[in-house]
Amino acid sequence: MNKFINENLLKMNTEEFLSNIKKAFNEVFSNGNIEKINLMKYLSEEKWKNIKKCGLLLPFLPEKFGGRKNNQFEIQEVLRIAGNYGVPITLRTGIEGALVLQPLVEYGNQEQIEKGLEMIFNGEGGGLGITEPNTSGSAIAKEMQSYYEYIDENTIHVKADKYWQGNSQSDFLLVAAKEKKNEKISKIISLILVPREYITYDVLNSEGLKAVRYAVNHIDADIPAKNIIKLSENKANCLREFQNIFIRSRLQLVGMTHGIMEFIIKNIINFARKEIDFVQNELNEIKNTYEISKIMYNYTCNNISPEKSVADKLMEANILKTLATEYTYKAAQIAQKLLGAKGFETGHPISNVAIDFRPFTIFEGPNDMLYAEIYDQFSRATTSEKKDGIRINKNSTIYERFLSDKRFKKFENTFINNIINESNELIKFLKNHTLNEIDQVKKVFVGKILARLFLLLQSESDNVIKFLMRDIRKDIIDFEYNE
Ligand SMILES: Cc1cc2nc3c(=O)[nH]c(=O)nc-3n(C[C@H](O)[C@H](O)[C@H](O)COP(=O)(O)OP(=O)(O)OC[C@H]3O[C@@H](n4cnc5c(N)ncnc54)[C@H](O)[C@@H]3O)c2cc1C
């Protein structure tokens, strides 16, 4: 397995390894080179391969397959460092690392892993094909129409139309499809490693992210059955494993958003008219947003581990994904505003940041759907509560559930608890509403409040607490407006 990896990269300590990655990026993107690389066009494969050869994806690869020692911090750092060079750069790192490499090594067999890694490390890599043009991406597990059917024991027929795959036209796609048996599409979802030769595509003309190729991909072909990557031998677990792919990638996504926040701050300082008081105020908004981003970044570094299951972290993953993307998008919009007309010039380092970033609030689960899910996960018993025989009384108030939920209790901190208790408005709101009165619309607003509360409990700075409390107040107003 080590044939594609330079052994020296494995011997380096974390500091040496990360500074080597930075050097690789600087060689391509700094010293005037950034002007020569037009990220409004597709990034040169040769340049990208050179960065990968310097170890960019090694933190995502477990040691037993020739990667670095398990270290969540390194995963987050490579995503963050890549974000310092622009949105498409970190997205491409995230797609290949978290959406392709990690699922491949987690669910693939030896032969599939070897084949996939060869294409990832020595070729153009791959993409993950989930979303379809004719079904809802939000309800994909239920509505998915793509299927595979056994023709004989060695061959399957795959019929799939997938769209918006990052890294389309590269060496392969991991395509999600359901097994068709006796003319019926079953609930068994698998990933199929589909090499480029079986895929036809129509290029998608995207509004931004030009450096990441997108397409509508079509597969209607007989391919070897050994390319099926089973998510579970047990069909009841397929769906859960399918979801686990997204739990991990949502938890890790904050590496990308944190890097992009740094990219925004680094660039806006050079261009904003700091002598104007209100501009200073807006710069402070960005700074506070960055502080919030840091809390989320640290959460993943300190609570997630590449070798440990994340199945119990769905609520936390949804909190991080929604808030990291909501706040980074907000910072991107402020930054573009502060540039005035310059923010509309093609080629300006941050003229495209908001448009490139916007889909982060949509992919990996649209934020509003995830806010609603945060509420669902909060109001249901967790796996460990179920094991202990605990049931959630739907007549209890949100406040009572908040007090009993260990995922929030974990951050118990007297300082913060005092602040929350002093905030009559928030406590009153939590005490005034019972779980059984929350309908589909209200779920989104309560999900937002819970998400911010989760971060509030981990905040140490007065400014961040004030900032989050202001947003919680706004969510309460939205909730009440919809009553
Ligand atoms: C730039 C970009 C990159 C992408 N990369 C990939 C990729 O690499 N691979 C891949 O397979 N797909 C990818 N996608 C597709 C993406 O994952 C889907 O667009 C996403 O899952 C949403 O699905 P949809 O577009 O079908 O929206 P829909 O499911 O139709 O939802 C539309 C909108 O309805 C609202 N909504 C839906 N459900 C709810 C709910 N329950 N509660 C509240 N509101 C709701 C939300 O506002 C949502 O945005 C990408 C998309 C973009 C734009």
Side-chain angles (χ1 to χ4, degrees):
M1 285 277 175
N2 281 338
K3 62 187 172 188
F4 13 78
I5 288 147
N6 170 351
E7 291 286 327
N8 288 334
L9 294 169
L10 304 178
K11 290 185 195 136
M12 293 175 178
N13 64 30
T14 293
E15 207 184 326
E16 289 163 343
F17 175 73
L18 294 173
S19 78
N20 186 58
I21 298 285
K22 262 186 233 164
K23 197 165 137 250
F25 273 117
N26 279 337
E27 275 165 17
V28 176
F29 294 107
S30 292
N31 303 326
N33 285 339
I34 188 122
E35 276 88 51
K36 288 187 214 133
I37 294 167
N38 184 354
L39 286 178
M40 288 300 286
K41 295 208 178 116
Y42 194 61
L43 184 63
S44 138
E45 279 306 328
E46 261 327 288
K47 291 199 166 87
W48 188 247
K49 213 164 23 170
N50 285 343
I51 298 175
K52 287 203 284 189
K53 292 262 178 243
C54 292
L56 181 66
L57 300 177
L58 285 186
F60 295 94
L61 186 65
E63 201 177 8
K64 64 176 175 193
F65 297 117
R68 300 266 307 162
K69 276 203 172 69
N70 285 330
N71 183 337
Q72 193 66 40
F73 177 67
E74 286 190 5
I75 292 181
Q76 299 312 119
E77 280 292 280
V78 289
L79 291 168
R80 183 189 66 78
I81 293 167
N84 275 261
Y85 299 89
V87 183
I89 307 302
T90 190
L91 181 56
R92 179 118 196 226
T93 311
I95 293 168
E96 289 199 53
L99 293 183
V100 178
L101 195 157
Q102 283 180 327
L104 174 75
V105 297
E106 181 153 4
Y107 301 107
N109 60 32
Q110 187 80 5
E111 191 185 339
Q112 293 160 341
I113 293 172
E114 242 181 273
K115 190 172 169 185
L117 291 185
E118 170 67 32
M119 292 188 273
I120 293 170
F121 284 93
N122 288 339
E124 295 187 3
L128 180 65
I130 307 281
T131 317
E132 302 174 347
N134 300 322
T135 48
S136 159
S138 315
I140 191 72
K142 210 162 60 194
E143 296 186 7
M144 187 186 294
Q145 291 301 309
S146 298
Y147 66 84
Y148 63 95
E149 194 172 18
Y150 278 88
I151 297 193
D152 57 46
E153 65 182 42
N154 297 319
T155 320
I156 48 169
H157 184 78
V158 181
K159 175 82 181 76
D161 295 303
K162 297 283 177 181
Y163 88 151
W164 277 109
Q165 279 63 55
N167 275 3
S168 287
Q169 306 169 46
S170 55
D171 286 325
F172 69 100
L173 287 177
L174 289 183
V175 172
K178 288 179 177 166
E179 187 173 344
K180 189 173 180 183
K181 263 187 189 164
N182 308 325
E183 295 304 306
K184 268 180 124 177
I185 295 180
S186 73
K187 286 186 179 158
I188 299 173
I189 299 181
S190 299
L191 291 177
I192 303 163
L193 196 161
V194 184
R196 189 192 335 234
E197 70 247 39
Y198 298 104
I199 306 171
T200 57
Y201 60 84
D202 301 306
V203 170
L204 257 174
N205 201 3
S206 58
E207 286 293 344
L209 292 174
K210 302 280 183 192
V212 184
R213 266 189 290 221
Y214 288 101
V216 187
N217 293 289
H218 311 282
I219 303 147
D220 191 355
D222 294 347
I223 75 167
K226 65 181 182 187
N227 285 25
I228 298 178
I229 298 174
K230 291 221 161 84
L231 293 175
S232 168
E233 289 301 330
N234 172 348
K235 80 173 181 198
N237 287 340
C238 278
L239 213 57
R240 194 168 310 145
E241 294 301 337
F242 185 62
Q243 189 173 49
N244 284 348
I245 297 174
F246 298 105
I247 300 181
R248 192 175 291 286
S249 74
R250 283 173 197 160
L251 288 161
Q252 290 175 167
L253 181 139
V254 64
M256 296 191 227
T257 55
H258 199 51
I260 296 163
M261 280 300 310
E262 289 175 347
F263 175 77
I264 292 170
I265 290 179
K266 198 168 61 186
N267 282 290
I268 196 62
I269 296 295
N270 296 329
F271 298 106
R273 297 188 52 194
K274 296 188 263 308
E275 74 282 5
I276 301 172
D277 287 347
F278 191 72
V279 170
Q280 272 303 342
N281 190 68
E282 295 296 83
L283 288 173
N284 280 340
E285 281 287 298
I286 296 181
K287 246 192 253 156
N288 284 331
T289 311
Y290 174 71
E291 292 302 319
I292 292 173
S293 177
K294 221 155 64 184
I295 297 173
M296 293 187 266
Y297 187 79
N298 290 339
Y299 177 87
T300 297
C301 292
N302 298 333
N303 293 281
I304 309 301
S305 169
E307 78 276 19
K308 278 207 191 124
S309 163
V310 287
D312 62 336
K313 296 253 177 328
L314 180 56
M315 186 186 84
E316 293 87 332
N318 290 347
I319 289 176
L320 261 51
K321 193 283 175 175
T322 48
L323 289 187
T325 57
E326 180 188 315
Y327 282 127
T328 308
Y329 188 42
K330 179 180 170 180
Q333 287 174 309
I334 298 176
Q336 273 192 264
K337 174 185 74 174
L338 295 185
L339 290 176
K342 284 193 201 75
F344 204 60
E345 275 171 28
T346 301
H348 189 285
I350 46 177
S351 65
N352 246 51
V353 69
I355 196 147
D356 277 351
F357 192 76
R358 182 161 66 90
F360 279 67
T361 64
I362 299 166
F363 59 53
E364 299 241 2
N367 281 6
D368 288 345
M369 177 186 88
L370 297 185
Y371 282 125
E373 280 186 11
I374 290 166
Y375 173 79
D376 286 336
Q377 286 122 28
F378 167 80
S379 58
R380 287 183 199 137
T382 61
T383 315
S384 85
E385 282 171 330
K386 277 185 200 150
K387 260 191 216 148
D388 294 342
I390 297 171
R391 297 182 62 184
I392 308 298
N393 178 356
K394 298 287 176 190
N395 289 319
S396 54
T397 63
I398 303 177
Y399 187 67
E400 284 163 338
R401 172 62 185 142
F402 167 68
L403 291 183
S404 71
D405 190 334
K406 288 203 177 99
R407 293 167 296 185
F408 288 87
K409 235 185 158 74
K410 175 175 170 182
F411 302 109
E412 209 155 39
N413 164 338
T414 15
F415 169 65
I416 293 287
N417 282 350
N418 287 343
I419 288 173
I420 295 177
N421 280 323
E422 276 168 26
S423 162
N424 286 334
E425 213 175 339
L426 172 59
I427 296 298
K428 209 167 114 196
F429 173 82
L430 298 177
K431 285 184 175 171
N432 269 355
H433 298 282
T434 54
L435 298 178
N436 57 13
E437 70 174 87
I438 307 301
D439 62 22
Q440 289 298 327
V441 173
K442 288 182 194 153
K443 270 183 188 180
V444 177
F445 300 115
V446 181
K448 287 183 184 194
I449 294 168
L450 293 168
R452 294 189 223 281
L453 198 47
F454 187 77
L455 297 194
L456 191 69
L457 293 171
Q458 298 168 67
S459 312
E460 283 167 2
S461 118
D462 286 348
N463 282 343
V464 170
I465 292 167
K466 220 170 120 190
F467 186 97
L468 285 168
M469 279 309 301
R470 179 191 63 181
D471 283 351
I472 290 177
R473 273 189 205 107
K474 287 185 191 166
D475 297 329
I476 293 177
I477 291 171
D478 282 338
F479 177 99
E480 285 166 354
Y481 179 81
N482 284 288
E483 270 200 290

